Amino acid sequence: MDMLVLLGSFVVLMLIGFPVAYALGLAALVGAWWIELPLDAVMIQIANGVNKFSLLAIPCFVLAGAIMAEGGMARRLVAFASVLVGFVRGGLSLVNILASTFFGAISGSSVADTASIGSVLIPEMEKKGYPRAFATAVTCSGSVQAILIPPSHNAVIYSMAAGGSVSVAALFMAGVLPGLLLGLTLSAYCLYAARKNNFPKGRAIPLREALKICGEALWGLMTMVIILGGILSGVFTATESASIAVIWAFFVTMFVYRDYKWRDLPKLMHRTVKTVCIVMILIGFAASFGYIMTLMQIPLKITTAFTTLSDSPVVILLLINVLLLALGTLMDMAPLILILTPILLPVVKALGIDPVHFGMIMMVNLGIGLITPPVGAVLFVGSAVAGLKIETVVKAMVPFFVLLFTVLMLITYVPAISLWLPRAMGI
């Protein structure tokens, strides 16, 4: 009955139109009232939920990503990717994916990736003879890399939702190989599609021009080197790296590239603060919701239910994947990480599955949800940038969904893809 009251009130509030964050907070209050817990305890948990040093990484990474997305860095990364792979048949589709790899390793945001890379490459691909729907599908699918490749602020949220028991640095390193695997898989399909549909070849960029492009892009790529190099060398923590990323992004944008106007900075800061406020409210209310779930022993009951169904990790992981894929199409990524991690982590731990590995499984599942209707934020952004109906884009994305599901199965059932790098580095 406890579970029905808490989860039922949350679902009802969602159905009548409450935002996810407020639905979580109000459901927590209903749950506290049901079990006769003083409401002061809920308020304390909301405050404790956002009173964590590691959460400082989120506003900093969001700000750094916003500065890079609007400051000309995306355009230079696209040009750099063109130097590397733009000359082959179907090269612009490869440029799109590679640029998403680079930009994802800097911004950590799929939405920013799609908006920035898409605004540059979707019109360019169409001009060169690619179907606009195909160009949009490539852009949206490639942006899922940003969730996996460090620095991913969703990894920070997962670490916090896991009670701080999972290292952010380990999650960052665990996302490298899955992200590259996804990029290589999408690239292989794009090469196949280019041959099948006779997509055009790009031009080989002359050496002098290529050197100039590489020099300009190097400033942006250094962001990735500074963040990962600093973490791995122990110079600063994963949280501190976010602050360094902001400083570097600001320096490069305003003093090196100088494409961004100083008068536009207040508007950028306002958008960033607005986004961060929404995320922090969500985290605080999710903390109180998780606290009530723990008091009601809901995670323990769900763990028992799963292990009753089967004691095979293969079967349980398949069921969890189905659950995550279904929910990922209905809700945004951050709320699902905050809600589901305290519920599902005990289940996978009972089966001997590494929490870092499970974090990657969750990221890929929910990343697919970002490009799947009816509530796919990245899908909406890609469609808006391309000026296409969502149905048109979804139809073009069918083969990409197959590829993403294949990568998901590999990451789920081959733990070494996620765990080899962090273990090799002793994280």
Side-chain angles (χ1 to χ4, degrees), residues 72-87:
M73 197 171 289
R75 178 169 51 82
R76 289 171 173 85
L77 291 175
V78 168
F80 178 62
S82 298
V83 171
L84 299 179
V85 295
F87 55 89

Side-chain angles (χ1 to χ4, degrees), residues 292-363:
I292 301 299
M293 281 200 304
T294 303
L295 293 180
M296 292 179 171
Q297 297 186 324
I298 291 176
L300 178 61
K301 293 172 184 175
I302 292 177
T303 302
T304 304
F306 266 104
T307 52
T308 301
L309 288 172
S310 174
D311 58 358
S312 168
V314 173
V315 175
I316 297 298
L317 283 175
L318 182 61
L319 293 172
I320 288 175
N321 276 326
V322 171
L323 174 67
L324 290 172
L325 285 170
L327 293 176
T329 65
L330 300 173
M331 287 179 63
D332 203 5
M333 189 169 187
L336 282 173
I337 293 174
L338 291 165
I339 295 167
L340 295 177
T341 300
I343 294 174
L344 296 178
L345 197 57
V347 177
V348 297
K349 281 184 175 179
L351 297 170
I353 297 166
D354 192 289
V356 173
H357 175 211
F358 179 66
M360 293 303 105
I361 295 171
M362 179 174 276
M363 298 291 173

Side-chain angles (χ1 to χ4, degrees), residues 49 80 88-89 96 108 113 227 271 294 302 320 369 371 377 391:
F80 178 62
V88 302
R89 184 171 299 283
N96 196 319
D113 190 319
I227 292 171
R271 289 193 297 273
T294 303
I302 292 177
I320 288 175
I371 58 173
E391 309 92 87

Side-chain angles (χ1 to χ4, degrees), residues 147-148 154-155 158 333 337 359-367:
I147 295 167
L148 300 169
N154 286 298
Y158 173 77
M333 189 169 187
I337 293 174
M360 293 303 105
I361 295 171
M362 179 174 276
M363 298 291 173
V364 178
N365 271 293
L366 301 184

